[in-house]
Amino acid sequence: MNNETAVIERHPWPPFIPEGARLLFLGTFPPGSHRWSMPFFYPNPINDFWRVMGLIYFNDKDKLYLPHLKTFDLEKIKEFLAQRHIAMSDTGLEVRRLKGNASDKYLEIVTPIALADVLSQMPECTTIATTGEKAAQVVAHITATEMPKTGGYTDTFFADRNIRIYRMPSTSRAYPLALDKKADIYRQMLSERNLCDPL
């Protein structure tokens, strides 16, 4: 499969933007629908994003998971995101899968997110956190900034505001870092932005 024969896929859902959103998480693009356990961001049960959130906010990696159904608890996830003022989206609006799989390495971003337009819907958002290298590359290109090292950040002025852009480790299990170590890096970022405070 090459660039000419790979089908262009459009992102299956809009950004999730709760009222008063202060942080925008940006991944790359969802896996194929056959890998979804729910119609929402990080839908693959073997991706650990929601387990990282469970560890940080509930001290329980399975707090947002329904093990008997092998799916995430979408209602609880949306409630959690709204309470914590966290928005979700991806950097790819239209993509081609050059190898037919979910690997970012073989994902071509045809049309990136209209980031300034998305941010215009969340005037209180001053933090972007990318989850993985490809997402970090796309955001660096859009914002004309240097890509931070993993766990680091860069400050810039974009979309009529000062904004801090973090590069987080991928929550894919293909990324060679233990779950608790990933959670530590995410926790540090959330703490720096005062997003770990008790409700």
Side-chain angles (χ1 to χ4, degrees):
M1 190 176 292
N2 56 38
N3 292 27
E4 286 70 37
T5 59
V7 174
I8 294 178
E9 295 180 47
R10 188 171 179 86
H11 203 289
W13 47 76
F16 177 81
I17 304 174
E19 185 176 351
R22 295 165 53 200
L23 163 68
L24 173 61
F25 271 116
L26 287 174
T28 308
F29 198 80
S33 57
H34 63 291
R35 298 194 182 278
W36 298 0
S37 67
M38 61 175 179
F40 198 67
F41 300 92
Y42 305 98
N44 191 333
I46 65 168
N47 186 292
D48 284 327
F49 181 87
W50 299 114
R51 292 181 183 89
V52 166
M53 295 297 108
L55 279 175
I56 294 169
Y57 287 100
F58 306 102
N59 200 31
D60 178 358
K61 68 180 178 65
D62 291 324
K63 183 69 174 180
L64 301 171
Y65 189 62
L66 299 169
H68 58 293
L69 298 176
K70 296 183 178 178
T71 187
F72 295 104
D73 190 333
L74 182 52
E75 185 175 331
K76 190 177 288 184
I77 283 171
K78 288 184 175 181
E79 180 184 333
F80 151 71
L81 293 172
Q83 288 176 335
R84 291 293 174 172
H85 307 292
I86 296 172
M88 305 293 301
S89 194
D90 283 318
T91 51
L93 183 61
E94 294 181 320
V95 304
R96 288 189 182 98
R97 301 184 199 275
L98 304 181
K99 296 283 188 182
N101 60 31
S103 171
D104 281 359
K105 184 177 180 181
Y106 301 111
L107 196 69
E108 178 194 357
I109 306 287
V110 177
T111 306
I113 182 176
L115 184 55
D117 291 347
V118 172
L119 288 171
S120 72
Q121 301 173 55
M122 48 181 103
E124 296 174 52
C125 180
T126 56
T127 309
I128 293 172
T130 61
T131 60
E133 183 177 8
K134 175 81 77 172
Q137 289 173 342
V138 175
V139 171
H141 179 74
I142 292 171
T143 58
T145 56
E146 291 291 320
M147 185 170 68
K149 65 180 183 180
T150 302
Y153 64 83
T154 187
D155 289 318
T156 192
F157 187 81
F158 180 78
D160 297 320
R161 74 196 74 180
N162 292 312
I163 200 150
R164 180 165 290 184
I165 304 168
Y166 285 85
R167 176 184 170 188
M168 296 287 98
S170 170
T171 53
S172 166
R173 292 189 186 172
Y175 188 84
L177 190 65
L179 178 63
D180 61 335
K181 300 297 184 186
K182 290 182 185 182
D184 286 346
I185 297 171
Y186 278 74
R187 185 182 291 108
Q188 175 67 29
M189 177 273 293
L190 291 161
S191 296
E192 286 176 4
R193 304 308 278 173
N194 298 314
L195 288 163
C196 274
D197 300 335
L199 291 172

